Amino acid sequence: MKVRSSVFASFILIFEVIGVALFLRGFFPVPVKSSFSSKSSLSDLPAEPLTGSSPNSSRLPQPLFKRVVIMLVDALREDFVFGPNGRMFMPYTRHVVERGSSHSFVAKARPPTVTMPRIKALTTGSIPGFIDVVMNLNSPALLEDNLIWQAKTAGKRIVFYGDDTWVRLFPKHFMEYDGTTSFFVSDYTEVDNNVTRHLDSTLKRDDWDILILHYLGLDHIGHISGPHSSLIQPKLLEMDDILKKIHSALISKEAEGSLPYLLVLCGDHGMSETGSHGGSSEPEVNTPLVLISPAFKRKVGMEQPGVVEQVDLTPTLALGLGLPISQNSVGRLIQGVLEETSLRDQLRFLHLNGHQLSCLLKDSVLEYEKDPGFEQFRVAEKAHGNWMKLYLEGNTSEVLTNMGKKVLKQYLEALAAMSSALSKQLGKYDMYSMIAGMVFVFQLLLVLLLAMPEALSGGAAVDLPVLSALLSLPFYLLCLLLASVHVLVCTSAESSCYFCSLSWGLVFAAVAFSSAMFCILVSIATRRLPLGPKIHGKSPLRSSGGEWSLSELDVLLLAGTVGHTLSLAASSFVEEEHQTWYFLLNTLCLAVFQDVCRKYFREKRGSGEEEEHLLPSKDSHASDHPKAEMYSEKWLALATPPFTLVCCRLLRSLNQTGVQWAHLPDVGHWLNSSEHRMVLSLLSAFCLVLIYLLVQRRCSWVSKVALALGLLGVYSYRAAVGNVLFPWQHAGRTTSKGTVEARFVYVFVLGILFTGTKDLLRSQIITADAKLKSRGLWEIYSGLVLLVSLLFRAHNLPVLCCCLLIQTLMAQFIWKKLHYDAAQTTIMHYWFGQAFFYFQGNSNNIATVDISVGFVGLESYVEAPAIFLTALSTYAGPLLWACHLVCYLSSERDRSPVAVGHGCYCLALLRSVPAAAYIVLVTVLRYHLFIWSVFSPKLLYESMHLLLTAGVCLVFNTMEQSHSSSKS
Amino acid sequence: MWDHEIRAMASSHAIIAASVFMATVLPAVVLPGFSVYGSHLLWIYSVSGAVTAVSVAVFWLLGITPPTKKHTLGYKLSRLFRSCLYFFLSCLFFHTVVVLYGAPLIESALETFSLAVLLTSLTTLRCLCVLGPNVQAWIRVFSRHGAMSVWDTCLQITVACTVVGAWVGAFPIPLDWDRPWQVWPVSCSLGAMIGFLTGLVAAPAWIHYHRKQLTYKCK
């Protein structure tokens, strides 16, 4: 079966995406969950252990607190309260911590340190998996057993003010609520005032039991200007005042005889030195936890705060309020809270916590009985029973107290052991699914690689022996073998496995596909074998000519691709991947510069019988032109690579990204500060004009007008949102969401895309007009540019501008004039695309994904467009370069008719090699210390990029299809 | 075919390599507190000074420098002046390239410039010695199939090795090992130095083994 290279490449990519998806499903662990979907209730609480007689009451001990106020300050870092500056930032809190009746701890948050998973962790006590962040950009209602649900069921009245994530997670749980969106990161006063304004009236009332406040302002300041900005101190002083207000109100309300109150000050996550969060560095993970209640002992001076897990707050609060601990909680009781209660109650609380943990352990660990924590718990429970027996007999001796203390210690040890065993569960991988996915991807990659000589030949078609493979005996034998392996693995597997839980039809399809691929692989390999040694040394880039020599540029392109793939094995190189790409791109530009110099300077010397032989077309072409034009062209061509280099250097300092140098000041931050708004406005206006000038050249006049209006709309959108100044803006105008302006732009984007598609269709169906067709393609491209310019932040518009400028110059003076072939051009486009991905401020960390893009032009969160827009703006760089590649290669069709096919094949190869290599690396490094913080976000980025490339290859495919149809 | 020239090349390279060695060891003996990492800039200057002095002396004694057409003092002076100018311009060129590669523009300008001086004294200076201040000849030598003598080939090899060495030297900078040699520009200058020494060894060896295949066009 003969297949065109582009069809072949897209086919391979699509199946690779499926393979990678299977791998991802196996790689990201499913969070520890109890097998019962129900929620724990008071009735199934265990009885207090008592040896000898029948168990006595199963009731909970008296709750410790009557009212609880939780004040959650987003991105409150531990050193803001406990650090040397704490006295200055939060004087009252510090006073309470040092002298008041309080307990203070450093609570460790688990990565990903992003608000939504942190809220889930605080309320359910479980540790949300990494994949939770990605799957739940929109947070639907939390269905798991959680503290809020328990409180509501127990009849507690809950009041909530703050981040509306809570409202979405817990709909109908709150008696009274007011959610504020964290929509505008630039706003850090209004969000907090929206919370505080309710405070006075609420604190006066008596009709609530739990009050939750979530302040967002500090987080926003961190995102804008980092943890050392001058805005931090006033904000923290404001928070301190609020805490003082709540505390004094609670003190004044307190009545004799009733239960005491509890005031909790905590942070959901910290902030890094750059002010962002999401990773697992110390300042991001360490948050303060201050518990204030008259039930505690008064402190006598600053002590080093103890370290607890963030999830430990959940069982503590649950037991403190007399509620059952939620089922999936892996936290353990903070023992300090119990210090003033009787020993009996203390033991009872610890027993309840231990019982809940052991139930969870039973559900999630297969051999739970051998777990040391579980054994310890059993021993402690027995000792507890003995102690109870003595206690109830009225023994009050010293011995009993000591014995009780020993039981207490045993309980604490058991809790620690069980909690850590449960946390370790998170690191279990579904190896069978991973290996299955890996095998798929590698088979496909090998087929792709082996088909290289054919795919890059003049015919650009690959001969796949599908039919002979399907009818061969080895195929059926392999099918049987793989199916039996599957059955064997699935029946003997101890832990749950995704690939086994698939339906039989799907599994059989996968098995048949895999064995067919294997047969094809073998038959292609045997076809290559006689030529083996010859092909081995041959470069893919020069295979058409049959030459052995590689130019310096080819060596660089190959070495760069291979070197980049290898560099992914080091965590630092993954964190600083942008450096790799900038470095390679720079070297590429210098190599191109050398090529250009060589061409033009040797020509000038006129000593070239060789050039005439090398570039006959060029010389004959040049002689037609007037001398002056050639001269200017020469200097423009010579200036292009240095200009590109300068552009790249400037863009590099626009957004500092990565980890090691991310804290350095960059131009982007400078532009975004409020005193430079004028500069930003001028810059973005200039960029928009330049974008218009660069894009309109090849559009029809309708699209020209639409583009101009659309770009005007982009500027007014930015003005409406408040990023840039409008010349005739009213002074008193407040910032809005800019929905109208954004929709205005969307209309023009759709219009331009429509015109482009119409042109394309017309060129295919009615007239086989190449000119109309390239115009249609360009119009689609310009629609994309307009959309991206709307989605990019104002300070990122120069990135788009430089991208277009470099594309124009390179296409005009370098790629065409120096006769680079399709493969070389594709690799260059790919490198530029990768570099621009990082120029726009992305990194291999989830935290840099700009989710606010998903709201542009929308009133509220709508899942599909939000995901689409976020993906588009994140991958704008690679996408724009890939689209330009399509435009460029199809305009080059008269020079080389198979250029599009070659380009598509090269793009597929360039993407699948690092993706496949990375999958293996991640599997090998799965117990690496940085697997969750560094390698797995990168894995998600890689797979997303693979998916997008598959999409681009499909576009290539249609383009080539239309070529062949217009040819015939 | 060119046994005599190869022998001359090998011995001159040995002398230059020895000078690099001496420039590293002597200050370490004489000056207290001198080390390659600790006082890196001093090391760069000492090495580039030694290489400059020794190469100029060696190539002048060997008489490889193209013969001057006129023998007037004024012409010689102007050649000397142009050589110095080219040397300085090449320093600026390397500095620009390194900044384009991402070196900080203002913060560590001195370090960057020192690296540029080192690279210049390892590459451009040799060009000046072998080819004279003649840009046309440089372009010829560094274009494909442009070598016209054994010395041209040798020049190509050493220059390429030095530049590639400096390029490779930049790789370990992003790694988070916190080693003294990861500080800017230690790894790059060490890379350039190692590349240069490799080039000094490789050039005569390569020419020796390929002497049958090498053919040069006459001028």
Side-chain angles (χ1 to χ4, degrees), chain A residues 368-440:
Chain A
Y368 63 91
E369 268 155 355
K370 285 190 190 134
D371 189 89
F374 191 78
E375 279 170 14
Q376 269 174 324
F377 176 66
R378 284 276 160 263
V379 172
E381 206 174 20
K382 212 165 272 168
H384 186 185
N386 288 333
W387 184 85
M388 273 305 288
K389 193 174 160 207
L390 290 176
Y391 178 82
L392 288 180
E393 280 162 6
N395 198 335
T396 49
S397 67
E398 184 86 359
V399 184
L400 188 71
T401 325
N402 284 339
M403 193 180 149
K405 283 202 174 125
K406 209 179 132 205
V407 176
L408 193 84
K409 219 172 124 200
Q410 277 176 335
Y411 264 137
L412 287 175
E413 277 166 12
L415 287 184
M418 283 195 288
S419 180
S420 76
L422 282 167
S423 306
K424 251 186 228 148
Q425 269 290 299
L426 285 170
K428 267 212 173 156
Y429 301 100
D430 175 1
M431 273 314 270
Y432 182 50
S433 308
M434 279 162 71
I435 289 172
M438 213 149 52
V439 167
F440 280 142

Side-chain angles (χ1 to χ4, degrees), chain A residues 572 586-587 605 610 649 660, chain B residues 99-101 103 145 167 174 176:
Chain A
S572 313
N586 245 308
T587 315
R605 289 194 311 119
E610 212 172 356
R649 182 66 182 86
Q660 275 194 56
Chain B
V99 167
L100 286 177
Y101 262 104
H145 313 300
W167 188 77
D176 56 357

Side-chain angles (χ1 to χ4, degrees), chain A residues 534-553:
Chain A
K534 222 160 134 194
I535 281 160
H536 185 70
K538 213 148 88 175
S539 137
L541 303 169
R542 288 273 171 224
S543 55
S544 54
E547 299 168 60
W548 281 68
S549 71
L550 287 167
S551 72
E552 287 94 336
L553 194 73

Side-chain angles (χ1 to χ4, degrees), chain A residues 757-796:
Chain A
T757 324
K758 195 190 72 192
D759 279 355
L760 267 184
L761 285 178
R762 231 176 51 194
S763 76
Q764 262 179 57
I765 297 164
I766 304 167
T767 54
D769 185 3
K771 211 170 170 190
L772 193 63
K773 180 181 169 125
S774 73
R775 197 177 76 184
L777 256 182
W778 187 264
E779 269 165 357
I780 290 180
Y781 175 67
S782 56
L784 197 66
V785 169
L786 180 58
L787 185 57
V788 169
S789 65
L790 173 69
L791 298 182
F792 266 8
R793 301 243 175 140
H795 75 273
N796 267 342

Side-chain angles (χ1 to χ4, degrees), chain B residues 9-86:
Chain B
M9 187 186 297
S11 48
S12 67
H13 282 185
I15 294 170
I16 293 171
S19 81
V20 170
F21 181 69
M22 292 309 281
T24 312
V25 172
L26 264 189
V29 176
V30 177
L31 292 174
F34 176 89
S35 71
V36 175
Y37 304 149
S39 51
H40 189 68
L41 295 189
L42 205 63
W43 177 77
I44 287 184
Y45 290 128
S46 117
V47 167
S48 20
V51 169
T52 311
V54 172
S55 331
V56 168
V58 164
F59 284 104
W60 184 62
L61 283 175
L62 278 175
I64 295 154
T65 318
T68 49
K69 287 161 212 146
K70 295 175 235 165
H71 289 278
T72 57
L73 186 68
Y75 184 70
K76 276 186 180 165
L77 273 180
S78 99
R79 268 175 75 90
L80 187 69
F81 173 72
R82 272 200 297 158
S83 299
C84 291
L85 183 70
Y86 282 177

Side-chain angles (χ1 to χ4, degrees), chain A residues 81-103:
Chain A
V81 181
F82 303 135
N85 282 335
R87 216 174 292 266
M88 211 165 68
F89 287 152
M90 306 190 78
Y92 183 76
T93 315
R94 254 319 252 275
H95 173 77
V96 172
V97 164
E98 283 170 21
R99 308 261 160 219
S101 52
S102 67
H103 282 296

Side-chain angles (χ1 to χ4, degrees), chain A residues 661-705:
Chain A
W661 293 281
H663 59 277
L664 296 180
D666 57 14
V667 182
H669 270 110
W670 186 84
L671 283 173
N672 274 331
S673 64
S674 53
E675 59 261 38
H676 300 121
R677 192 173 287 182
M678 194 64 207
V679 185
L680 184 64
S681 314
L682 287 176
L683 185 70
S684 41
F686 172 73
C687 284
L688 289 174
V689 171
L690 203 58
I691 289 169
Y692 175 70
L693 291 178
L694 286 170
V695 174
Q696 51 87 252
R697 293 171 301 132
R698 287 158 66 181
C699 291
S700 63
W701 67 269
V702 181
S703 319
K704 271 183 200 176
V705 174

